[in-house]
């Protein structure tokens, strides 16, 4: 393996963790609801699927935009990541009482969509920088699934403190990658 591939793998893994922190945070709150292990498993899988579908749509749109906008698209992608990271960081200061929806049926779809919307924006900026699509989607889906499961399972034991700090960390990671795109 080349050094560039390993670097891209590490970078994408950190981005995947940052994006999965949102699902982890919400999963902590949702874990307060009595859920069976089968339901926890299905919630994680659905969230993981949305973390594959949403960035894929963003990557496709990002490839289209970058072919038409050139280097301006890279700066736009960096700015988008920076804005998303700041928003994620600042939202960690909001006091939430926990999830308002139950993770069943349409509520599960709304939950999965809400925690994966930011991955569309990240996919958009990654599409502008010609990232390895398959690797990106596998990492985003796997990490969001695992972090969702972890949040739901820990939610039975831990209250909101971890959720706030995990969202801060995720926002900080996205900001750093946005700055990296802008400054390079």
């Amino acid at each position: 393996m080349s050094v560039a591939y390993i670097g891209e793998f590490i970078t994408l893994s950190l981005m995947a963790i940052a994006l999965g922190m949102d699902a982890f945070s919400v999963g902590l709150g949702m874990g307060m609801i009595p859920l069976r292990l089968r339901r926890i498993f299905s919630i994680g899988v659905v969230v993981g699927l949305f973390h594959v579908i949403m960035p894929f749509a963003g990557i496709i749109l990002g490839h289209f935009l970058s072919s038409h906008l050139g280097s301006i698209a890279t700066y736009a992608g960096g700015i988008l990541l920076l804005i998303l990271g700041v928003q994620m960081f600042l939202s960690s200061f909001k006091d939430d009482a926990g999830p308002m929806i139950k993770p069943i049926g349409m509520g599960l779809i709304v939950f999965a969509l809400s925690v994966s919307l930011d991955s569309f924006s990240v996919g958009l900026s990654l599409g502008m920088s010609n990232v390895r699509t398959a690797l990106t989607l596998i990492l985003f889906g796997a990490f969001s699934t695992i972090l969702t499961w972890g949040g739901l399972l820990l939610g039975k034991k831990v209250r909101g403190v971890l959720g706030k700090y995990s969202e801060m960390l995720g926002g900080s990671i996205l900001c750093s990658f946005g700055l990296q795109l802008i400054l390079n």
Side-chain angles (χ1 to χ4, degrees):
M1 275 196 237
S2 72
V3 174
Y5 180 79
I6 293 171
E8 184 177 13
F9 180 83
I10 291 170
T11 300
L12 289 173
S13 293
L14 289 172
M15 284 184 145
I17 291 168
L19 289 172
M21 290 296 188
D22 209 16
F24 177 80
S25 300
V26 177
L28 277 172
M30 195 167 284
M32 305 295 171
I33 301 169
L35 298 170
R36 294 180 176 204
L37 287 179
R38 181 181 288 166
R39 174 66 54 201
I40 289 172
F41 177 80
S42 64
I43 292 169
V45 169
V46 171
V47 169
L49 287 173
F50 271 79
H51 272 83
V52 170
I53 294 167
M54 296 299 284
F56 183 62
I59 288 171
I60 291 171
L61 184 59
H63 281 305
F64 174 77
L65 292 175
S66 68
S67 66
H68 289 82
L69 298 178
S71 64
I72 294 172
T74 303
Y75 291 118
I79 291 169
L80 192 62
L81 278 178
L82 191 60
I83 291 170
L84 184 62
V86 167
Q87 182 271 331
M88 191 173 176
F89 184 85
L90 293 177
S91 75
S92 69
F93 293 105
K94 292 181 185 172
D95 283 335
D96 293 311
M100 299 298 289
I101 57 171
K102 293 192 187 250
I104 300 168
M106 196 57 171
L108 177 55
I109 301 298
V110 170
F111 167 65
L113 183 63
S114 69
V115 297
S116 66
L117 279 176
D118 52 354
S119 64
F120 174 80
S121 303
V122 171
L124 185 66
S125 62
L126 290 175
M128 293 179 197
S129 62
N130 289 327
V131 72
R132 295 175 204 263
T133 304
L135 176 64
T136 302
L137 298 178
I138 290 168
L139 290 172
F140 282 20
F143 277 107
S144 64
T145 299
I146 291 166
L147 287 168
T148 301
W149 288 336
L152 289 167
L153 293 171
L154 281 175
K156 294 181 178 189
K157 300 178 191 241
V158 179
R159 293 244 170 205
V161 175
L162 273 181
K164 181 180 289 191
Y165 293 117
S166 66
E167 212 169 344
M168 282 181 190
L169 176 63
S172 299
I173 290 171
L174 290 179
C175 283
S176 67
F177 289 120
L179 286 173
Q180 181 184 12
L181 278 176
I182 293 169
L183 298 176
N184 283 336

